[in-house]
Amino acid sequence: MTNRRTNLPEGTQDDRQVVESLAKGLTLLRCFQHEDTFLGNQELSKRSGIPKATVSRLTFTLAKFGYLIYAEDLGQYKLGPSVLALGYACLSGMKVREIAQPYMQDLADHAGSGVLVALGVRDGTSMLYVSCARSSGMVSLLLGVGSRVSLTDTAMGRAYLASLPPDERVSVMEEIRAETDPSNWDHVEGVIADAVTQIGERGFYANLGDWQPDVHAVSVPFRSPNLGDPVFAFNCGGPAYLLSKERLENELGPRLVEMARNVRFSAGM
């Protein structure tokens, strides 16, 4: 959530250690979503809440340092190679990705065509895919590394929230609440409470069409043994007609729990 007065993340507006211009520049970079190619200053201003005149100065500066590329014929910007370099540096530091990939691929092959197995981390009020595995054959969900999915609507997001200590979960839920329609808040609290129960009772959470009516998925939270790593979540999902409730709960859910256990063992935890 951003603060309307300063456009800084909530809780930082009174922190004298925060460099406001840097925070605003980073906010602009975060405005680019997976489906975006080019964005103009007006759209960036709308998404960020930062005045257009300030946005113009920031985008000019970011382009000078390679974080944005300016297309003169469009008068718009896209992310530049310097952002990609940071992204790959971040991914290379997540050693769990390398350890988990063969296990994820084995599960994807077992689950069959149309199923996607993913590893994600929280980014704001979304979950960000950092690794994916698919079986050969029919095209699975059109998601990949860098895709964002809802923190409150998806199996991955709910499993992540369910894994947090109660005080930390309350803090994250307050961020979510600021972006949620008040009329829907009781539902959000209810599904997260259900996720906590499911994770506690069987180690995985099953989402049967809450994110998209024709998509079913199971998810398991994962805490990496590597110092400094975030909390992750593994997810296995696909078309509902391929993943029945019975198959998810009796087969793929337990297999995902076992996979997470094997990854943890291989990582030395």
Side-chain angles (χ1 to χ4, degrees), residues 29 66-68 79-88:
L29 294 178
Y67 293 97
L68 293 177
L79 293 177
S82 293
V83 174
L84 183 64
L86 288 177
Y88 275 108

Side-chain angles (χ1 to χ4, degrees), residues 66-101:
Y67 293 97
L68 293 177
I69 294 175
Y70 182 64
E72 292 189 16
D73 54 336
L74 297 175
Q76 296 181 332
Y77 294 88
K78 68 177 181 178
L79 293 177
S82 293
V83 174
L84 183 64
L86 288 177
Y88 275 108
C90 176
L91 290 176
S92 67
M94 295 181 183
K95 300 304 181 185
V96 168
R97 293 177 65 251
E98 299 176 14
I99 296 170
Q101 192 64 40

Side-chain angles (χ1 to χ4, degrees), residues 99 103 202-204 220-223 225 234 253-269:
I99 296 170
Y103 293 100
R202 56 191 186 183
F204 65 87
V220 172
F222 181 84
R223 290 187 176 272
F234 287 108
R255 276 185 174 268
L256 195 62
V257 172
E258 181 183 9
M259 187 198 80
R261 187 182 302 119
N262 289 336
V263 172
R264 189 173 289 110
F265 178 79
S266 295
M269 189 175 186

Side-chain angles (χ1 to χ4, degrees), residues 64-263:
K64 282 290 185 181
F65 285 86
Y67 293 97
L68 293 177
I69 294 175
Y70 182 64
E72 292 189 16
D73 54 336
L74 297 175
Q76 296 181 332
Y77 294 88
K78 68 177 181 178
L79 293 177
S82 293
V83 174
L84 183 64
L86 288 177
Y88 275 108
C90 176
L91 290 176
S92 67
M94 295 181 183
K95 300 304 181 185
V96 168
R97 293 177 65 251
E98 299 176 14
I99 296 170
Q101 192 64 40
Y103 293 100
M104 293 168 61
Q105 190 61 56
D106 285 346
L107 179 58
D109 291 338
H110 168 81
S113 295
V115 175
L116 173 70
V117 179
L119 176 66
V121 296
R122 177 188 167 222
D123 183 29
T125 54
S126 300
M127 292 296 290
L128 180 69
Y129 281 16
V130 296
S131 187
C132 295
R134 294 176 170 85
S135 62
S136 59
M138 189 181 79
V139 176
S140 60
L141 297 176
L142 298 178
L143 298 169
V145 173
S147 293
R148 294 173 184 270
V149 296
S150 168
L151 191 59
T152 56
D153 294 340
T154 61
M156 178 181 279
R158 292 175 183 178
Y160 167 87
L161 288 169
S163 74
L164 298 178
D167 56 342
E168 188 176 347
R169 188 184 311 124
V170 169
S171 177
V172 176
M173 290 292 283
E174 284 303 308
E175 292 184 44
I176 295 169
R177 185 169 190 166
E179 299 181 5
T180 302
D181 184 338
S183 65
N184 193 44
W185 184 244
D186 287 346
H187 170 72
V188 171
E189 287 190 310
V191 296
I192 301 307
D194 179 53
V196 172
T197 299
Q198 289 193 37
I199 294 293
E201 291 180 349
R202 56 191 186 183
F204 65 87
Y205 172 74
N207 184 319
L208 304 173
D210 278 1
W211 176 49
Q212 295 182 16
D214 57 348
V215 174
H216 287 178
V218 285
S219 190
V220 172
F222 181 84
R223 290 187 176 272
S224 168
N226 297 321
L227 291 176
D229 270 358
V231 177
F232 296 91
F234 287 108
N235 194 80
C236 177
Y241 70 89
L242 293 174
L243 301 178
S244 66
K245 179 178 184 293
E246 291 73 21
R247 189 182 184 206
L248 281 176
E249 296 184 344
N250 298 328
E251 178 192 345
L252 295 181
R255 276 185 174 268
L256 195 62
V257 172
E258 181 183 9
M259 187 198 80
R261 187 182 302 119
N262 289 336
V263 172

